[in-house]
Amino acid sequence: MHPGPAGVRRGLLGATVLGVGRRGKYLIFHLNNGRGLVLHLGMSGQVRRFGVDPMHRHEHMRLEFSDGQTLSFVDARRFGRVCVITDGGPLPRCVRGMERLGPEPIEKGYSAAYLGGHLSGRKARVKSLLLDQRVACGVGNIYSDEALHRAGIRPDRQAGSLKPPEVSRLTVALGSVLKDGIRWCGTTMKDGGFVLVDGGVGSFQDRLRVYGREGERCRRRGCVGVVRRQKLGGRSTHFCPACQK
DNA sequence: CTTGTGTCCTGTAGGC
DNA sequence: TGCCTACAGGACACAA
């Protein structure tokens, strides 16, 4: 059923890229043939410009443009996805989650009313719900920990127990953390993470306040807490027991 | 529907 | 030095 590499190639051949967009964690190359190339970087995926280099390790796809330039998709851990979608058509399985994405926390339309509506009455931990792309699209493990810290909320709180001021703070924190991540060109950890198209690295990892900082001092001004790490839903979770309630 | 767990994949780090 | 295990994470399959 899945068209595979040959189908992707067929969908792209001869097409012109009209523009590039993003929705949640999906990148979309809009084409002039009524289709779109969708890329999801997973956790180790990279879009890279290599020029005339020979094939790189873990390079799964290379786009060749009429002017001789190239764009490569590289992904060591193979959690990423590549597929072609048709405008107005049904989405292939591999990107089915795209049609369920909620509003973007960095856009005007995102509100405390929307977030609260998804948290109220829920018994699941608030962090688990933040990882749900219908609730907070674009948020992953790092940014959920950081947003909860900025909002002063423990990640293991029952989502439905959050009071209106907390929901409000979390709404703001989600937007600000994502915007800061973009401002500092993403988070590049020692074992991988985001890499720019020319191979450059981001610097948001230097500004993280809890993620990856177990045993270190909380970075909130005036807080003397020590960051704790705990498994939550199979995910490594970081928080400050002193300033997150 | 809700909630929690397991799986995919590979490079790297740590233990011994 | 080298082998072994644990860990990292996004999205989804699946179970209860």
Side-chain angles (χ1 to χ4, degrees), chain A residues 40-179:
Chain A
H40 192 299
L41 301 181
M43 66 168 290
S44 57
Q46 305 176 11
V47 175
R48 298 289 300 276
R49 229 173 66 141
F50 290 136
V52 295
D53 297 6
M55 196 77 144
H56 283 67
R57 188 158 159 75
H58 303 307
E59 184 178 353
H60 303 292
M61 178 182 71
R62 185 174 293 191
L63 303 176
E64 299 179 350
F65 296 95
S66 52
D67 63 359
Q69 302 204 66
T70 66
L71 270 188
S72 299
F73 180 72
V74 179
D75 186 11
R77 296 184 194 172
R78 306 211 287 181
F79 271 40
R81 287 145 201 259
V82 175
C83 76
V84 173
I85 61 174
T86 302
D87 296 345
L91 289 175
R93 291 185 76 89
C94 61
V95 291
R96 225 186 52 196
M98 263 182 92
E99 60 195 351
R100 294 193 301 253
L101 291 174
E104 305 275 346
I106 61 172
E107 300 288 343
K108 286 272 188 286
Y110 201 78
S111 66
Y114 177 82
L115 179 60
H118 274 87
L119 301 186
S120 72
R122 300 289 298 271
K123 291 185 173 177
R125 291 159 172 152
V126 60
K127 161 152 175 173
S128 302
L129 290 189
L130 290 187
L131 294 176
D132 185 333
Q133 300 301 293
R134 295 168 292 190
V135 177
C137 95
V139 172
N141 200 46
I142 296 172
Y143 295 99
S144 61
D145 282 6
E146 291 297 309
L148 286 164
H149 177 262
R150 290 187 184 202
I153 298 165
R154 285 179 63 112
D156 58 356
R157 283 273 299 280
Q158 248 186 41
S161 76
L162 266 62
K163 294 178 171 58
E166 295 177 315
V167 175
S168 180
R169 294 204 305 270
L170 188 51
T171 304
V172 173
L174 285 167
S176 74
V177 127
L178 289 174
K179 282 181 190 162

Side-chain angles (χ1 to χ4, degrees), chain A residues 144-215:
Chain A
S144 61
D145 282 6
E146 291 297 309
L148 286 164
H149 177 262
R150 290 187 184 202
I153 298 165
R154 285 179 63 112
D156 58 356
R157 283 273 299 280
Q158 248 186 41
S161 76
L162 266 62
K163 294 178 171 58
E166 295 177 315
V167 175
S168 180
R169 294 204 305 270
L170 188 51
T171 304
V172 173
L174 285 167
S176 74
V177 127
L178 289 174
K179 282 181 190 162
D180 283 351
I182 294 168
R183 176 177 305 139
W184 300 103
C185 297
T187 312
T188 313
M189 308 293 285
K190 291 142 295 260
D191 73 327
F194 181 71
V195 173
L196 286 89
V197 74
D198 62 357
V201 301
S203 60
F204 195 57
Q205 65 277 7
D206 302 328
R207 319 186 90 84
L208 296 175
R209 301 181 188 175
V210 283
Y211 185 88
R213 302 188 62 249
E214 181 186 21

